[in-house]
């Protein structure tokens, strides 16, 4: 990984895990998602990671028609890199999850590197510390959730998108997922440079301790050498501390209300742009620069 290169900020504006009952600032309608993405780009995000929601009830949906309602607005207002989810929501099948990336052919799409128990984000680790009335039902509901990503599912997504020129944000929720990414590189289904998004603090995956970060970094360096760009996603309240540690170690960073509804301890983030501004302040305080969408395209080998 080159030193002193610009830092790519990815902003994941809404996701599928948090619900409107958790935060009134969560973008739900196509226009709210578009404005949130444009605001994040203006604040310094080179990439926006996008999910869609049913505007009536905020429920996650992979209906390409919903994506078609906000993508043109974003593209007319910004040259930010579009990254569409193939994860959708954990209860969706791979065919349904694949449709937006398959039909809309984005520059980037997420790719989840393994099946796993998929709990809520880090703040619920300490079972006895419920602060909000939605936490207990959410915990119980997520106790049975499996996020399915078999090797066949992953190969199917890779093969289905292979002629679209789409490249992937490779979601690694644990060390084993890095080895799975290496497996698909060996099979030639993934092409270098690869973009590793290390996910820390999701219940069912790796924790949020600095040792966890170092372990991911050491393993990725050993497996991919200079054939990868690394990015850090800290879930919940670990978002900014881990992104800060990562950027200081040479990584890129992902923020956004998909990954954390907070902007400082106990304070709900009023916008995705607020989180982008917070990590940008850290990056510039370290004497680093924020990557433009054009620089991100060069660094990740995107089709543009
Ligand atoms: C932890 C994040 N939910 C990872 C993610 O964004 C997955 C996806 O959309 O495919
Ligand atoms: Zn996502």
């Amino acid at each position: 990984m080159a030193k002193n290169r610009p830092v790519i900020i990815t902003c994941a504006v809404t996701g599928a895990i948090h619900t409107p009952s958790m935060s009134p600032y969560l973008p739900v309608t196509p226009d709210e998602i578009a404005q949130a993405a444009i605001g994040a780009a203006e604040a310094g995000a080179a990439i926006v990671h996008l999910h869609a929601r049913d505007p009536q009830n905020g429920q996650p949906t992979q209906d390409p028609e919903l994506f078609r309602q906000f993508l043109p607005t974003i593209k007319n207002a910004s040259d930010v890199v579009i990254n569409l989810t193939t994860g959708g929501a954990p209860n969706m099948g791979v065919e349904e999850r694949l449709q937006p990336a398959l039909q809309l052919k984005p520059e980037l799409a997420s790719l989840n590197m393994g099946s796993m128990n998929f709990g809520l984000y880090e703040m619920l680790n300490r079972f006895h510390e419920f602060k909000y009335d939605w936490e207990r039902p959410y915990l119980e509901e997520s106790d049975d959730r499996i996020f399915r990503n078999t090797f066949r599912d992953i190969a199917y997504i890779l093969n289905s998108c292979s002629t679209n020129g789409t490249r992937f944000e490779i979601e690694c929720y644990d060390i084993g997922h890095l080895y799975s990414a290496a497996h698909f590189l060996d099979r030639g289904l993934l092409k270098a440079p690869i973009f590793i998004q290390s996910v820390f603090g999701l219940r069912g995956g790796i924790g949020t301790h600095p040792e966890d970060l170092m372990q991911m970094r050491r393993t990725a360096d050993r497996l991919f050498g200079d054939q990868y760009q690394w990015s850090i996603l800290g879930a919940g309240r670990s978002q900014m501390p881990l992104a800060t540690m990562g950027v200081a170690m040479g990584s890129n960073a992902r923020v956004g209300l998909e990954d954390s509804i907070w902007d400082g301890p106990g304070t709900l983030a009023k916008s995705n742009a607020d989180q982008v501004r917070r990590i940008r302040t850290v990056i510039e305080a370290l004497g680093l620069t924020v990557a433009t969408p054009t620089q991100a395209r060069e660094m990740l080998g995107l089709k543009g």
Side-chain angles (χ1 to χ4, degrees):
M1 218 173 348
K3 292 282 170 291
N4 298 330
R5 73 221 134 61
V7 178
I8 299 171
I9 298 175
T10 295
C11 187
V13 304
T14 188
I17 301 298
H18 292 132
T19 62
S21 63
M22 297 174 183
S23 171
Y25 307 108
L26 194 68
V28 168
T29 66
D31 189 57
E32 287 169 353
I33 293 171
Q35 296 316 318
I38 294 164
E42 286 165 355
I47 302 174
V48 287
H49 170 70
L50 303 172
H51 289 241
R53 292 179 181 265
D54 179 327
Q56 310 310 322
N57 56 25
Q59 283 300 308
T61 171
Q62 285 293 88
D63 176 356
E65 280 322 303
L66 263 295
F67 287 80
R68 287 194 176 95
Q69 288 181 33
F70 55 68
L71 285 175
T73 309
I74 300 170
K75 290 179 179 173
N76 292 341
S78 169
D79 68 341
V80 71
V81 173
I82 302 289
N83 166 351
L84 298 185
T85 181
T86 70
N91 56 354
M92 293 176 182
V94 71
E95 194 61 47
E96 178 183 3
R97 287 166 40 188
L98 176 60
Q99 293 316 309
L102 189 62
Q103 297 182 27
L104 302 166
K105 303 178 174 50
E107 292 181 83
L108 261 184
S110 61
L111 184 69
N112 296 275
M113 266 305 134
S115 301
M116 56 185 291
N117 292 338
F118 203 89
L120 188 59
Y121 296 150
E122 173 266 341
M123 71 185 145
L124 272 183
N125 284 1
R126 287 167 288 288
F127 195 83
H128 55 274
E129 240 190 82
F130 291 139
K131 282 200 184 69
Y132 306 93
D133 54 13
W134 49 260
E135 286 180 306
R136 180 182 291 280
Y138 207 104
L139 187 72
E140 271 130 20
E141 189 249 324
S142 66
D143 271 0
D144 296 317
R145 183 183 305 133
I146 296 173
F147 186 28
R148 174 188 152 137
N149 294 287
T150 65
F151 286 106
R152 192 179 306 285
D153 295 336
I154 296 168
Y156 179 66
I157 293 174
L158 285 166
N159 285 323
S160 303
C161 296
S162 58
T163 54
N164 295 350
T166 297
R167 298 181 71 85
F168 294 91
E169 176 195 56
I170 301 166
E171 319 287 350
C172 295
Y173 301 79
D174 222 325
I175 299 296
H177 292 169
L178 293 171
Y179 285 92
S180 297
H183 163 75
F184 284 106
L185 260 178
D186 294 347
R187 271 172 71 174
L189 291 182
L190 271 178
K191 305 268 187 306
I194 59 172
F195 184 37
I196 297 282
Q197 187 69 256
S198 294
V199 181
F200 299 92
L202 195 140
R203 197 161 60 88
I206 198 167
T208 59
H209 190 280
E211 280 303 323
D212 297 322
L213 232 75
M214 292 309 297
Q215 180 67 4
M216 273 274 198
R217 171 65 181 276
R218 279 193 296 268
T219 307
D221 278 354
R222 185 162 38 75
L223 291 173
F224 311 121
D226 60 4
Q227 297 296 302
Y228 82 108
Q229 283 287 340
W230 191 35
S231 186
I232 300 274
L233 184 173
R237 79 179 85 190
S238 70
Q239 182 183 62
M240 288 300 161
L242 292 187
T244 300
M245 229 183 293
V247 166
M249 291 162 57
S251 95
N252 302 291
R254 179 170 137 165
V255 297
L257 272 67
E258 168 168 350
D259 307 333
S260 172
I261 55 178
W262 310 106
D263 190 21
T267 307
L268 285 175
K270 291 189 176 42
S271 72
N272 281 273
D274 285 352
Q275 291 183 348
V276 173
R277 278 187 283 273
R278 185 181 280 265
I279 194 59
R280 179 175 192 149
T281 306
V282 169
I283 290 166
E284 292 170 348
L286 292 169
L288 298 167
T289 58
V290 169
T292 64
T294 303
Q295 289 171 319
R297 289 185 172 97
E298 277 155 29
M299 293 160 72
L300 302 175
L302 303 182
K303 64 180 178 181

